[in-house]
């Protein structure tokens, strides 16, 4: 090839190409590498041409994916060559071959710098290109000023300046400190006046990064950006070479609109008006054209404009226009545009969910989706469902569909999903089924429809219907009397169909067992017929289902008004037969039921219908929230809140502890008080936790193969139930006390019960902390299914390491957690811990002592310095936060200052002329360290009242810190309230002596 | 106190393997996965979220092209360029993974896929796939047209470019790429301007060669 000009290189490339298989290729490459290695070893003999050739070969080999671990020096050394041809090769190979952290790069910083500040423009370009592509932190520090000079120089050609702009961008990304905010904002503003589009594009890229990091500093650029947009959209002064398929540089348009999205809000009415004019123009000119590139470029601009409109919180009309456009995009055939249309539509819905201010638009968006024309609506849903089938679009569509479902359209959407379920891709069926079930539950217009949907769901996609789904339908039916006959009849109909899915057998068996007596008058629904239709399936179903069916049989038998001897014989025969069944659960049920049924009508009470379930949160909704945790912004916090407040969720996970089937008992009315035995939750009993009745199929692992004594009267069954619940694990001490102790020191016990001890050890440095949780199994049996989930507050970053699933007996496991504090807040992380002690699941939540004072460090200042700083804070804008706090624990002055000291505040005695005042200083470490000055003025006449002043340059720190100190002063650490409300006087103050409360604090 | 002794044995363990890491079978649970891309909450919010976890990544990874690579239909890499400090040893694996997804996609489907927390924009030209890894938040169509722009520039330089041109002149492709993209950003959108720069480079190299040859000839004739 003439262009290549290097015969050796061409020969090598064709050799590699001709290799028949991977092994031959590797052999050829290895041979070449060996050759290059020897050539490089006797460096003397290499001409620059040869050196270039071998370096290119190395790059080629590297590009093919082979490891090239030598010869880097030769590539780097070419950079220092005097001739352009060698330098060029050196720069380009180095920047492709080496990573930014490579040590060799340090060797050439000087050469690179000389090239940048030298007079040779071509060398400047080469050097800037390399630094722009792989420059690291060290380059940032030594080259940034030179690069900045090139960018703003008047004598440099555009070619150099645009490279300098992007090079500076790279250096800024590596180290934001290299661009000083003050001076540079004006420079940027001037640079935006640039007429040359190439330079302007590069400058705009730089501006995106600058503004994203610090929007406040670059306000002066807003109007300039709008002007650039005006120039582009009006095609003023745009050279032909900078139009792309007739569109004035779409990339610059996109970049400029991107910059504007990083400013929190644009309030200036004039700028806003001209910006909206520009956007209006963009939104109007969107007719699809044949040329795909032109089409793409137009739409690239358009989607960016949409994002900007959403960001600006535009007027109703404009939003409506956007929604209209999105609706149009979703309807086009072109997959890219449809994908983006869907993505943006989803984004729009989500934005409105998150921000209250946009909420009014949501209504309007959905109204437009619910066009008066019903056909449009159906077409739209249909379209979305079709989109779901298109590989990567499908998840977006499903999300969107899910997001826009409400009472008015739920029926259409769910039915559409059901239709689609049978033909859908396997990979997506489970999600489809789950979402359909959730939507049906959330928006069911009436409950019978809900039952229909779930039963259809099971029929159409039984394999993909999780147990949670049918548990939920059973709950609904049980709790709604009028639904029971309907559900039972439906279930019976479904059993008539050929090829019934096992999940259907389960749910139908359960429903018919409970409620078939309500149907007994209907044709084909006599107890005998119901029994035989269920029993048809018995032989083919799995063991857990068999257990459910056995329960159904005895219920059918005992519910029937007149005992049909034939039915009784049948049922008894089934029980007899299964008394020797292999599985312990089935065996036990069979023998117990056999004994019970022989006792005759006196047992009717025991086998009565199930009582109503307590209202609880749907496990499905919870599941949906769990899966959304990483996509939805608020879910993490929602989840956290939920777990803090609701015990229902915890309860739903509890399984009966042994082979007793609580599900089958109805406690005689006299014993109602133990119908819902309370389970004190480990971290300090919150609310009564009912037994999980739905665990009707006690899983084999939980059923101890003991043969529990045949129980006679119903009471003892109930008692057994209660005993079982009473054994719930209790902590051996006060969780609150442990927590408080850990607030004061860095190692100690966090939690302990008869099975597990959780110890904690922490180290703090600046805004970073390292916590190690020690999980010690005190028991002689292993602890199973150990789970530790830490729910971090928003202002903290937590890196949790793994917790092994099992802790062997008498063993300890460590679980390190890395904490980074990012912004001031008093919130603390919560550890959600659960384990299985081989007889029951234990779960509890613990606050982790990552409190504000852990990020405080005492600061000692000279008196003059202290006063100067205090004054600086006092001057405008006033950064001092002051509050009179009443209801403080009455403490002697010394103890109060000790208390402050225990919060890591360095007390500066004598700085304040008034002896009744305490002043101190501390540095608070979040993302940036902040110096905080604190003053407490006490009133010798009234010790329960103080004036607290906190001053920091950062008001958010001051606010949080003030509240935090206030809590310490007011709150009594051993008290039950985790965080006292600001300003809330502690009623117990008078009862607790100062010494006692102090002892609790230090 | 019983529990205290138990704990002290724990803490001695802590000091012993303070720096050792866990091995074995683990259940990993972090409730909020900071690395997952978040969508749909306005740019500022996204930026805020990003800034939280910029500690474990580059100081800023913001809307830049992270990598460009060209692969043939057989999965052979024809060009690769990385603009972030993605570890060198993981690069071939990343390219393999992305390529296998792309090669299996039908032509009717859209040109964007999500990979890890990035988006991959790709387009097929004859036997070559041009792929670009970009931030999840970047403008997809914008990137797609950057690919096309690069192809047009190559086309102009080579005159109806084909895969073989790029195989034997891969270094030229690198030069051209460096004039189109820099720091993971579009550097020049004018094809004419790029062509001018590249031809100037070629002239300079040719000139260097000639002087080199004449120099050699004159020295050999002496």
């Amino acid at each position: 090839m003439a262009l290549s000009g290097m015969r050796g290189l061409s020969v090598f490339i064709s050799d590699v190409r001709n290799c028949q298989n991977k092994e031959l290729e590797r052999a050829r490459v290895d041979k070449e590498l060996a050759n290059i290695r020897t050539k490089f070893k006797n460096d003397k003999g290499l001409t620059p041409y040869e050196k270039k050739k071998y370096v290119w070969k190395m790059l080629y080999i590297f590009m093919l994916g082979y490891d090239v671990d030598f010869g880097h020096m030769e590539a780097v050394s070419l950079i220092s060559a005097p001739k352009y041809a060698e330098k060029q090769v050196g720069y380009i190979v180095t920047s492709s071959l080496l990573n930014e952290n490579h040590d060799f790069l340090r060797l050439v910083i000087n050469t690179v710098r000389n090239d940048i500040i030298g007079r040779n423009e071509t060398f400047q370009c080469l050097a800037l290109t390399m630094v722009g592509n792989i420059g690291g932190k060290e380059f940032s520090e030594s080259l940034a000023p030179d690069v900045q000079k090139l960018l703003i120089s008047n004598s440099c050609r555009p070619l150099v300046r645009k490279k300098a702009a992007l090079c500076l961008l790279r250096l800024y990304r590596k180290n934001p400190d290299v661009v000083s905010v003050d001076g540079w904002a004006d420079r940027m503003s001037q640079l935006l006046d640039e007429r040359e589009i190439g330079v302007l594009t590069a400058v705009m890229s730089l501006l995106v990064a600058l503004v994203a990091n610090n929007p406040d500093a670059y306000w002066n650029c807003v109007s300039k950006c709008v002007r650039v947009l005006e120039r582009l959209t009006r095609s003023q002064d745009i050279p032909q070479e900078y139009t792309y398929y007739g569109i004035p540089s779409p990339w610059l348009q996109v970049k400029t609109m991107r910059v504007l999205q990083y400013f929190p809000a644009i309030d200036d009415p004039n700028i806003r008006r001209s910006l909206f004019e520009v956007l209006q123009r963009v939104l109007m000119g969107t007719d699809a054209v044949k040329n795909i590139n032109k089409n793409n470029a137009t739409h690239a601009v358009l989607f960016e404009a949409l994002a900007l409109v959403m960001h600006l919180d535009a007027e109703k009309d404009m939003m409506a226009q956007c929604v209209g456009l999105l609706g149009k995009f979703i309807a086009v055939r072109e997959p890219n545009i449809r994908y983006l249309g869907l993505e943006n539509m989803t984004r729009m819905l989500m934005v409105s969910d998150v921000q209250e201010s946009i909420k009014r638009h949501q209504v309007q968006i959905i109204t437009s989706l619910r066009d008066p024309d019903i056909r449009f609506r159906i077409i739209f849903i249909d379209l979305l469902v079709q989109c779901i089938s298109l590989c990567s679009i499908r998840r977006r569509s499903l999300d969107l569909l899910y997001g826009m479902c409400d009472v008015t359209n739920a029926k259409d959407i769910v039915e559409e999903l059901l239709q689609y379920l049978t033909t859908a891709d396997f990979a997506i069926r489970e999600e489809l089924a789950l979402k359909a079930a959730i939507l049906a539950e959330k928006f069911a217009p009436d409950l019978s429809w809900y039952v229909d949907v779930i039963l259809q769901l099971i029929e159409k996609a039984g394999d993909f219907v999780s147990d949670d789904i049918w548990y939920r339908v059973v709950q609904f039916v049980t709790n709604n009397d009028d639904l029971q006959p309907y559900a039972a009849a439906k279930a019976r109909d479904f059993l008539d169909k050929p090829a019934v899915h096992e999940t259907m057998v389960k749910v139908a068996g359960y429903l018919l067992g409970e409620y078939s007596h309500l149907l007994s008058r209907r044709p084909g629904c006599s107890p005998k017929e119901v029994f035989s239709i269920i029993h048809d399936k018995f032989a083919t179903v799995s063991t857990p289902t068999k257990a459910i069916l056995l329960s159904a049989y005895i219920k059918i038998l005992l519910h029937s008004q007149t005992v049909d001897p034939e039915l009784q014989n049948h049922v008894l025969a089934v029980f007899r037969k299964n008394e020797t069944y292999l599985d312990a659960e089935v065996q036990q049920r069979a023998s117990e039921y056999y004994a019970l049924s022989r006792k005759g009508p006196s047992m009717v009470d025991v086998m009565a219908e199930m009582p109503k379930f307590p209202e609880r949160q749907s496990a499905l909704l919870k599941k949906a929230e769990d899966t959304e945790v990483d996509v939805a912004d608020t879910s993490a916090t929602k989840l956290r809140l939920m777990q803090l407040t609701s015990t229902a969720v915890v309860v739903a996970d509890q399984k009966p502890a042994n082979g007793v089937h609580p599900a089958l008992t109805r406690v005689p009315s006299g014993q109602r008080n133990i119908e819902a035995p309370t389970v004190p939750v480990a971290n300090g009993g919150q609310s009564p936790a009912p037994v999980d009745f739905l665990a009707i199929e006690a899983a084999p692992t939980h059923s101890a193969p003991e043969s529990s004594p045949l129980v006679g009267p119903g009471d003892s069954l109930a008692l057994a139930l209660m005993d079982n619940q009473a054994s719930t694990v209790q902590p051996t001490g006060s969780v609150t006390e442990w927590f408080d102790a850990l607030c004061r020191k860095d190692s100690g016990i966090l939690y302990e019960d008869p099975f597990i001890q959780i110890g904690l050890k922490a180290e703090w440095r600046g805004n970073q902390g390292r916590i190690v949780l020690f999980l010690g199994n005190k028991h002689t049996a292993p602890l199973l299914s150990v789970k530790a989930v830490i729910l971090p507050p928003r202002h903290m970053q937590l890196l949790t390491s793994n917790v092994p699933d099992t802790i062997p007996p008498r063993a300890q496991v460590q679980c390190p957690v890395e904490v980074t504090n990012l912004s001031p807040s008093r919130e603390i992380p919560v550890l959600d811990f659960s384990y299985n002690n081989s007889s029951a699941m234990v779960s509890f939540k613990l606050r982790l002592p990552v409190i504000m004072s852990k990020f405080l460090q005492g600061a000692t200042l000279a008196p003059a310095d202290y006063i100067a700083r205090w004054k600086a804070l006092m001057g405008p804008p006033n950064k001092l936060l002051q509050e009179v706090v009443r209801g403080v624990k009455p403490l002697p002055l010394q103890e109060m200052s000790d208390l402050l000291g225990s919060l890591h505040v360095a007390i500066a005695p004598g700085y304040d002329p008034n002896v009744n005042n305490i002043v101190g200083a501390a540095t608070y470490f979040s993302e940036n360290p902040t110096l905080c000055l604190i003053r407490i003025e006490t009133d010798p006449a009234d010790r329960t009242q103080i004036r607290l002043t906190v001053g920091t340059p950062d008001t958010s720190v001051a606010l949080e810190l003030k509240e935090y100190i206030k809590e310490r002063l007011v709150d009594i650490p051993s008290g039950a309230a985790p965080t006292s409300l600001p300003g809330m006087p502690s009623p117990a103050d008078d009862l607790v002596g100062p010494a006692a409360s102090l002892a609790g604090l230090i | 106190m019983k529990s205290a002794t138990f704990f002290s044995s724990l803490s001695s363990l802590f000091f012993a393997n303070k720096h050792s890491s866990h091995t074995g079978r683990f259940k990993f649970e972090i409730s909020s996965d900071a690395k997952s891309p978040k969508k749909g909450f306005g740019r500022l919010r996204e930026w805020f979220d990003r800034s939280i976890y910029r500690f474990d990544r580059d100081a800023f990874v913001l809307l830049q092209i992270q990598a460009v690579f060209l692969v043939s239909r057989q999965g052979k890499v024809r060009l690769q360029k990385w603009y972030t400090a993605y570890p060198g040893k993981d690069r071939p694996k990343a390219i393999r993974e992305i390529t296998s997804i792309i090669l299996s996609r039908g032509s009717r489907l859209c040109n964007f896929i999500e990979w890890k927390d990035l988006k991959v924009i790709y387009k097929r030209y004859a036997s070559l796939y041009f792929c670009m890894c970009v931030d999840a938040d970047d403008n997809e169509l914008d990137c797609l047209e950057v690919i096309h722009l690069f192809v047009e520039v190559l086309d102009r330089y080579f005159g109806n470019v084909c895969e073989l041109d790029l195989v034997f002149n891969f270094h030229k492709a690198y030069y051209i790429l460096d004039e189109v993209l820099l720091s993971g950003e579009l550097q020049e959108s004018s094809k004419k301007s790029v062509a001018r720069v590249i031809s100037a480079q070629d002239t300079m190299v040719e000139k260097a060669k000639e002087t080199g040859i004449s120099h050699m000839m004159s020295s050999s004739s002496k």
Side-chain angles (χ1 to χ4, degrees), chain A residues 173 212 241 261 757 802 814, chain B residues 6 22 28 43 47 59 190:
Chain A
R173 278 179 180 146
E241 59 183 295
Q261 288 169 60
Q757 182 193 49
N802 316 308
Q814 296 176 26
Chain B
F6 189 70
H22 279 289
F28 207 127
R43 305 287 180 215
W47 165 239
S190 154

Side-chain angles (χ1 to χ4, degrees), chain A residues 890-941:
Chain A
L891 294 178
L893 213 53
Q894 182 56 41
E895 287 177 13
M896 191 173 281
S897 83
D898 286 351
L899 193 156
L900 268 188
S902 77
L903 303 179
H904 301 152
V905 176
I907 306 298
Y911 282 27
D912 197 308
N914 186 337
V915 289
N916 285 315
N917 296 351
I918 304 170
V919 294
T923 311
Y924 179 72
F925 291 92
S926 58
E927 209 168 355
N928 302 307
T930 318
L931 183 74
C932 314
L933 306 182
I934 296 139
R935 177 160 73 160
I936 296 178
E937 293 156 275
T938 62
D939 178 0

Side-chain angles (χ1 to χ4, degrees), chain B residues 79 150 154 158 166 169-178:
Chain B
L79 184 84
F150 179 47
L154 289 175
F158 288 103
L166 297 181
N169 296 289
F170 71 98
H171 51 311
K172 279 287 164 211
Y174 272 107
Y175 289 142
I176 294 170
L177 182 63
D178 268 357

Side-chain angles (χ1 to χ4, degrees), chain A residues 968-979:
Chain A
R968 297 309 108 179
L969 292 172
V970 171
D971 184 26
I972 287 156
S974 56
T979 47

Side-chain angles (χ1 to χ4, degrees), chain A residues 285-393:
Chain A
T286 58
D287 289 331
V289 286
K290 265 227 163 119
N291 182 302
I292 185 147
N293 299 105
K294 179 167 186 173
N295 217 5
N296 283 346
T298 326
H299 284 87
V301 175
L302 191 65
F303 277 115
E304 206 58 49
L306 281 175
L308 183 55
V309 169
M310 276 191 248
H311 173 76
L312 290 173
D313 200 11
E315 282 79 38
K316 257 190 172 174
D317 293 351
M318 201 160 212
M319 291 297 269
Q321 199 180 353
C322 293
V323 173
L325 275 175
L326 287 175
K328 224 165 83 183
F329 297 155
I330 292 172
V332 300
R333 284 174 56 112
E334 218 273 305
N336 289 337
I337 296 188
R338 193 162 54 191
Y339 172 90
L340 295 172
L342 282 168
E343 192 180 55
N344 278 283
M345 193 77 105
T346 321
R347 179 173 282 196
M348 242 183 191
L349 289 177
M350 287 170 83
V351 165
S352 22
D353 263 341
V354 172
Q355 284 167 332
E356 199 58 37
S357 63
I358 313 180
K359 212 153 201 171
R360 57 178 190 273
H361 296 307
Q362 184 191 18
V363 179
Q364 182 234 327
I365 292 164
I366 291 180
T367 331
S368 2
L369 295 178
R370 261 192 285 111
D371 203 84
D373 184 355
I374 291 177
R375 276 187 44 243
F376 171 77
R377 208 165 103 199
I378 291 169
I379 291 168
F380 184 74
I381 294 170
D382 190 47
L383 196 87
L384 282 169
V385 171
Q386 275 177 27
C387 289
I388 297 175
S389 63
L390 268 171
C391 191
S392 71
I393 300 184

Side-chain angles (χ1 to χ4, degrees), chain A residues 491-527:
Chain A
R492 197 209 163 289
D493 290 349
F494 272 103
L495 278 187
D496 267 343
K497 302 197 174 181
V500 181
H501 192 272
E502 184 162 336
T503 309
M504 184 63 86
V505 178
K506 281 184 193 170
V507 65
Y510 188 93
L511 290 175
L512 288 174
E514 292 287 327
Y515 307 114
S516 64
H517 60 284
L518 303 173
L519 308 175
S520 55
R521 296 251 170 78
R522 300 192 191 184
C525 292
S526 71

Side-chain angles (χ1 to χ4, degrees), chain A residues 59-79:
Chain A
L59 180 58
Y60 190 76
I61 292 168
F62 179 72
M63 198 180 74
L64 290 177
Y66 294 94
D67 202 18
V68 179
D69 53 359
F70 67 95
H72 296 157
M73 198 59 209
E74 276 72 14
V76 172
S77 71
L78 280 173
I79 292 178

